[in-house]
Amino acid sequence: MSDEREMDAARRIVSGAAKVMVITGAGMSAECGLPTFRDAANGQNWDELARTLATAEGFQADPQRVWSWYAGRRQEALRAQPHAGYTALARWQDRAAVGIVTQNVDGLHARAGSRDVVELHGSLFSFICVEQRHPVEGVGACVETPRCPLCGSLVRPAVVWFGEMIPEEAIWRSAAAWEGAEALLIIGTSLAVSTARAFVRSAERRGVPIVEINPAPALPTASAVLAGAAGTVLPLLLEG
Ligand code: NAD
């Protein structure tokens, strides 16, 4: 299909659905200056990250290195500004039933004004202790790895590391967002992470149409593919 026909098809799908679930991945924030993990043109060294920084073992081996790396990511996320696609999604939620589920940890959806965003992989801006997973507040500016005021164990960012489970609350909230959805819009994910893939499989089984936005599309079974950058394509799709 031509780009225009794909856009028409995508518009029909999202405007004809009584409820839409949106899943966003790292590509959604690429134009805000936050690097993706697996995108060859823009990504960081995935293996290095996996081995040393984004695992419980990495934190145990060198907590201060991991704490400092996340402090840097937090600064980057705070410097980034949500692009026009983020704003278009937030405005869409004001006029339609739209559930947003993100794999991102950067907080940009909420900063753009989106509500009830499910952060499947946690947030750079929340913290828990390693021993008891007590929530800990007010430690984002700490230079040294802080300790939990309740149990004394080290504090880490409340993000889901490799090998860890997605928190139960995020699972049931994303299931609620998916319940009754008549279309699935996936944006900026390579679908390498099993969480997003699970919703895609469910959509395929239920015959729910899928629209993908990605300059390097990852899903051959999508009903419409908008092969472009989220910051440009989303405003055209939702407000064009
Ligand atoms: P990924 O890194 O595996 O894949 C990124 C995808 O985005 C690629 O398919 C790429 O083609 C696409 N992309 C690149 N630029 C784009 C653009 N401008 N518009 C639309 N799409 C674009 O991403 P993933 O599948 O989300 O998996 C990465 C994991 O790493 C996630 O679990 C996420 O939590 C984490 N992560 C988060 C951030 C963040 O919070 N901003 C950044 C990096 C990684």
Side-chain angles (χ1 to χ4, degrees):
M1 265 199 274
S2 72
D3 287 0
E4 248 170 63
R5 287 176 65 183
E6 291 283 342
M7 180 59 88
D8 286 346
R11 282 196 182 119
R12 270 196 304 276
I13 291 168
V14 297
S15 62
K19 178 180 176 187
V20 181
M21 174 160 148
V22 180
I23 302 179
T24 64
M28 179 73 185
S29 296
E31 293 153 90
C32 306
L34 301 178
T36 64
F37 276 176
R38 294 189 186 81
D39 175 14
N42 189 26
Q44 305 180 345
N45 185 329
W46 177 252
D47 291 339
E48 161 76 1
L49 289 178
R51 250 182 320 111
T52 59
L53 293 166
T55 59
E57 293 75 21
F59 185 76
Q60 201 178 12
D62 193 345
Q64 186 59 38
R65 178 170 182 241
V66 174
W67 179 263
S68 300
W69 185 69
Y70 276 97
R73 287 191 70 190
R74 232 176 352 265
Q75 289 310 313
E76 273 177 13
L78 285 173
R79 276 194 300 270
Q81 294 301 322
H83 56 54
Y86 271 107
T87 317
L89 266 187
R91 284 199 288 250
W92 189 29
Q93 264 191 327
D94 291 337
R95 54 182 201 277
V98 179
I100 300 178
V101 175
T102 188
Q103 299 180 156
N104 294 345
V105 293
D106 55 30
L108 286 178
H109 280 295
R111 279 175 54 204
S114 285
R115 292 180 305 277
D116 299 325
V117 177
V118 183
E119 294 177 307
L120 277 178
H121 296 165
S123 167
L124 294 171
F125 302 96
S126 304
F127 305 91
I128 49 173
C129 72
V130 288
E131 297 279 333
Q132 306 287 333
R133 300 184 81 85
H134 293 129
V136 181
E137 293 191 0
V139 293
C142 291
V143 175
E144 303 290 325
T145 316
R147 288 195 174 268
C148 175
L150 292 179
C151 69
S153 73
L154 289 169
V155 172
R156 54 166 278 185
V159 297
V160 176
W161 281 334
F162 291 95
E164 293 184 334
M165 307 282 282
I166 291 172
E168 240 173 69
E169 188 189 338
I171 291 178
W172 66 252
R173 284 183 63 215
S174 59
W178 180 228
E179 177 81 38
E182 294 179 356
L184 178 61
L185 175 56
I186 56 170
I187 308 166
T189 169
S190 63
L191 292 173
V193 181
S194 59
T195 335
R197 271 208 317 264
F199 291 108
V200 167
R201 298 291 165 259
S202 173
E204 288 168 349
R205 273 198 305 276
R206 278 169 45 184
V208 171
I210 304 172
V211 175
E212 178 179 21
I213 298 178
N214 193 325
L219 187 63
T221 56
S223 311
V225 176
L226 305 176
T232 312
V233 170
L234 261 173
L236 288 174
L237 172 66
L238 302 176
E239 298 175 337

